[in-house]
Amino acid sequence: VEVLVFIACIGITSQSFTIVALGTRKRAPYCHAIISSILVFWAIILLLISFMNSGALMQVVAPVRIFTSIVLIASSFLIWQRGYQPARYIFWAWLLTVVTNLLFSLLRMGLLPSSSLTEHGYQFAIVLMALLLSRALTDRIQNLRKEKETAQQQAMTALQAQEQLIRQQNVVLERTVAQRTQELQQYQE
């Protein structure tokens, strides 16, 4: 049961992180819908853990984990190819996770020999994944700052143009008032 709770929580956090870090709603709406659906699936699994046989749930969870990995890798690659640079770190982090999970599974099934690399490579991959995801967040924060600075500069430019227009309109208005005043004075004389 604890393993299922852990797997579901990892699923929820990885999907949530991907949605936020990649901005999937804006950059890849179709991927966003799929990831959100998987997120709902993991929430349902958390609810069902108390009511269903954990063996039966594990049979459902295993293929969904594979599907989730494919979706996260494909989504991050797609968004990266569309020009959002922080996505490259997320792509490599998820790909690294899948490869190390695969190698670890092959090791446990006896299809790979036991060595220091195969036994402890997963730990190294977790650290590297954390670094890659941190770098993705750093890039995202830098992009948000640049966007904010650009928006502020555009707003300042628009404000300055508006002030210039007001000054020009005031000059025209003052000339018009002066001209009308002069015409009135001439008319009264």
Side-chain angles (χ1 to χ4, degrees), residues 28-160:
Y30 183 73
C31 294
H32 179 78
I34 294 171
I35 294 170
S36 296
S37 299
I38 297 170
L39 193 59
V40 169
F41 169 82
W42 289 118
I44 291 170
I45 290 297
L46 274 177
L47 294 173
L48 292 177
I49 287 174
S50 300
F51 305 107
M52 289 187 66
N53 179 334
S54 60
L57 282 176
M58 277 301 248
Q59 289 180 349
V60 172
V61 164
V64 174
R65 286 182 64 202
I66 294 168
F67 178 70
T68 299
S69 299
I70 292 168
V71 168
L72 293 178
I73 290 169
S75 298
S76 57
F77 185 76
L78 174 70
I79 292 171
W80 177 21
Q81 293 306 303
R82 290 182 177 173
Y84 186 62
Q85 292 306 308
R88 69 185 182 269
Y89 297 112
I90 295 171
F91 167 77
W92 288 113
W94 292 147
L95 186 62
L96 178 67
T97 302
V98 168
V99 169
T100 54
N101 277 331
L102 178 65
L103 292 175
F104 193 72
S105 296
L106 292 175
L107 171 71
R108 291 296 170 236
M109 292 183 333
L111 298 173
L112 279 180
S114 179
S115 70
S116 184
L117 177 65
T118 56
E119 290 289 341
H120 301 290
Y122 190 78
Q123 295 166 347
F124 173 75
I126 293 291
V127 171
L128 189 55
M129 181 185 77
L131 292 172
L132 288 168
L133 294 177
S134 296
R135 180 65 183 151
L137 286 177
T138 301
D139 270 12
R140 183 167 194 269
I141 290 167
Q142 288 173 348
N143 284 347
L144 290 173
R145 282 185 183 148
K146 286 178 187 175
E147 288 173 8
K148 179 184 170 189
E149 289 171 5
T150 301
Q152 286 176 334
Q153 185 61 40
Q154 289 173 345
M156 185 62 74
T157 302
L159 184 61
Q160 288 171 346

